[in-house]
Amino acid sequence: MKNIIVLGSTGSIGTSTLDVVARLGAPYRILALSANRNTELFLKQVHQFKPRFAAVLDPASYEILKPQMPKGTQLLPPEMESLTFLASLPSAHLVVNGLVGAVGFQPLVAAIKAGKTIALANKEPMVMAGQTVMQECQRWNATIIPVDSEPSAIFQCMEGTDAHSYHRTHESISRVFLTASGGPFARRKNALSTVTPAEALNHPRWKMGKKITIDSATLMNKGFEAIEIMNLFHLSQEKVQIVIHPQSLIHSAVEYVDGAILAEMSEPDMRIPIQYAVTYPKRMPSPVQPLNLFQAQKLEFFEPDFERFPCLELALAAQAKGGIFPAVLSAADEVAVEAFLKEQIKFTDIPKLIYSVLKQTLSRPGRVTLHQAAEADAWGREQARVHLAEKKYKKVVL
């Protein structure tokens, strides 16, 4: 039996994970589920999979769900300690971290310290303190398998090499091509200042949660993924090349020093990388339709437009500065995206708000501790809210 914890079970990653597990059947079993406030869907999931434990962070949702729990399922209190408890359950074999934003940081650390294998879709912790996270994985004998399609593709292309030696530089790799669909505005000719939340949420290839969809529209998500793979695979920034690939059929590629390029290709369906993480190291039949190369017609590749999408350059600049800059970047982005979704700021104000916070950030270079990363996250949110209230946004100049 392979016991699986799903954190964030009502989100896009969580629902896809449960679909994968339901189709796989035995020996894969859901041991615990967590969500925030989607009580209707969460209750359906709990009754279908009958986990041993369940948790919701929203207190009102907790009160609604408590009398409706099936026999044998324990509903934990609505607090962060419940998520860290689930992430470190002794009987868990795999922890799927599908949480959104920095809320996934503490559960990830708990899973690492418990020596777990973690299927990680929550990239913000890897942005906040990725080097330290990987150091802790080595210390506690924990393993991270990336779930996002592009980091998963790189992980798969490195299989058979020294991909799991996170602390070593991969001397056989000359470049990693990190692909991006470009989002809904990759080919938009008119100004982005008039973009509405509805337009930004209309992703051409992927169906995802609101936060990551907006990050994909600004290309911040690709900046986060670049930081993630640098930390996950111990790559220098010079070895990571971001490529706009609108068809989203090549999910990323690795170029080796002999000139060979290994690419992972499939239909854009998150169930493929999720299932790979669930069954790893085995591969099993998937419900996803195989890619038909004859219908693919053409594959296009473009360089990213840093001027139109400054969030991407902000992410790379924050990583280059190091220290707490990536953690502050992540925190300010969460506030900025939430403000845009509430129509408090324009789409083009998102990078301006983030840049304004980064400009006042003081940090010494070097590896940050987990505690420093958490403090930087809190500080970045507070400063972003101050700038938002005072409407102080600086034009991005890097």
Side-chain angles (χ1 to χ4, degrees):
M1 188 67 69
K2 188 169 186 177
N3 290 326
I4 300 169
I5 310 293
V6 183
L7 304 178
S9 66
T10 59
S12 58
I13 294 296
T15 54
S16 294
T17 300
L18 294 181
D19 180 70
V20 165
V21 173
R23 291 173 184 273
L24 288 171
Y28 302 96
R29 171 178 175 263
I30 298 299
L31 179 64
L33 297 174
S34 86
N36 187 19
R37 59 168 59 94
N38 191 340
T39 54
E40 184 177 351
L41 177 56
F42 189 66
L43 193 60
K44 289 179 180 178
Q45 293 175 342
V46 169
H47 278 278
Q48 179 182 356
F49 292 94
K50 296 178 174 56
R52 177 67 184 85
F53 298 99
V56 286
L57 284 181
D58 179 57
S61 299
Y62 172 82
E63 294 300 329
I64 294 171
L65 289 168
K66 190 174 181 180
Q68 302 185 66
M69 284 292 102
K71 185 179 180 180
T73 298
Q74 180 182 350
L75 184 64
L76 302 178
E79 54 194 27
M80 180 56 67
E81 287 73 13
S82 295
L83 297 189
T84 57
F85 170 79
L86 295 182
S88 56
L89 279 171
S91 54
H93 301 105
L94 178 71
V95 177
V96 179
N97 188 339
L99 298 168
V100 178
V103 70
F105 187 76
Q106 291 185 39
L108 174 62
V109 173
I112 289 171
K113 290 185 176 181
K116 300 299 182 184
T117 297
I118 303 127
L120 186 65
N122 176 220
K123 63 179 67 63
E124 282 82 0
M126 291 301 298
V127 172
M128 292 167 60
Q131 288 185 350
T132 306
V133 166
M134 298 317 299
Q135 187 180 47
E136 290 296 295
C137 282
Q138 187 180 354
R139 177 185 177 188
W140 298 100
N141 197 30
T143 300
I144 290 179
I145 303 175
V147 164
D148 280 323
S149 61
E150 292 83 3
S152 172
I154 294 165
F155 182 84
Q156 293 180 62
C157 290
M158 287 183 173
E159 193 166 8
T161 65
D162 54 352
H164 293 163
S165 302
Y166 301 115
H167 59 290
R168 295 214 311 262
T169 301
H170 304 294
E171 296 179 356
S172 61
I173 295 171
S174 58
R175 278 186 299 179
V176 167
F177 296 102
L178 180 64
T179 59
S181 70
F185 310 124
R187 300 184 183 184
R188 180 168 168 146
K189 301 298 182 184
N190 52 332
L192 297 178
S193 58
T194 60
V195 165
T196 66
E199 290 176 313
L201 289 170
N202 187 25
H203 197 281
R205 295 288 174 183
W206 298 95
K207 184 178 180 181
M208 306 174 290
K210 289 184 178 181
K211 168 63 164 59
I212 188 173
T213 304
I214 300 301
D215 282 342
S216 295
T218 64
L219 293 192
M220 180 62 88
N221 184 60
K222 205 50 51 179
F224 285 164
E225 284 184 354
I227 297 172
E228 178 185 14
I229 66 170
M230 288 178 214
N231 291 325
L232 188 59
F233 302 114
H234 200 70
L235 297 167
S236 65
Q237 193 162 317
E238 292 72 29
K239 286 192 173 187
V240 177
Q241 183 165 344
I242 297 170
V243 179
I244 304 300
H245 170 49
Q247 291 77 25
S248 296
L249 297 178
I250 293 179
H251 299 291
S252 278
V254 176
E255 180 185 67
Y256 290 89
V257 290
D258 59 1
I261 297 177
L262 301 185
E264 191 269 323
M265 297 180 66
S266 67
E267 289 287 349
D269 191 312
M270 281 304 300
R271 289 177 296 179
I272 293 176
I274 289 171
Q275 180 170 297
Y276 183 73
V278 169
T279 64
Y280 184 82
K282 296 180 180 179
R283 288 188 183 270
M284 300 182 71
S286 161
V288 180
Q289 187 72 21
L291 178 63
N292 188 326
L293 292 176
F294 299 108
Q295 293 178 355
Q297 296 181 343
K298 63 179 179 180
L299 303 176
E300 298 175 292
F301 305 95
F302 307 99
E303 291 185 1
D305 188 336
F306 289 95
E307 186 174 343
R308 294 187 73 223
F309 299 97
C311 279
L312 181 55
E313 192 169 13
L314 281 174
L316 297 177
Q319 174 67 2
K321 280 185 171 291
I324 65 169
F325 275 91
V328 173
L329 170 89
S330 173
D333 177 67
E334 283 200 45
V335 175
V337 168
E338 182 181 9
F340 169 68
L341 288 171
K342 292 179 178 178
E343 300 188 41
Q344 295 173 342
I345 62 174
K346 295 179 181 179
F347 183 79
T348 48
D349 288 333
I350 293 175
K352 292 178 184 177
L353 178 55
I354 297 168
Y355 178 67
S356 298
V357 178
L358 289 174
K359 280 290 288 183
Q360 65 178 116
T361 302
L362 300 175
S363 174
R364 286 182 290 181
R367 185 172 296 174
V368 298
T369 66
L370 299 177
H371 180 70
Q372 287 170 336
E375 285 188 330
D377 174 80
W379 180 86
R381 288 169 195 278
E382 180 184 355
Q383 293 305 309
R385 293 187 184 106
V386 169
H387 283 277
L388 179 64
E390 297 177 355
K391 298 188 182 301
K392 292 182 178 179
Y393 322 131
K394 295 180 180 291
K395 181 180 178 181
V396 179
V397 181
L398 295 174

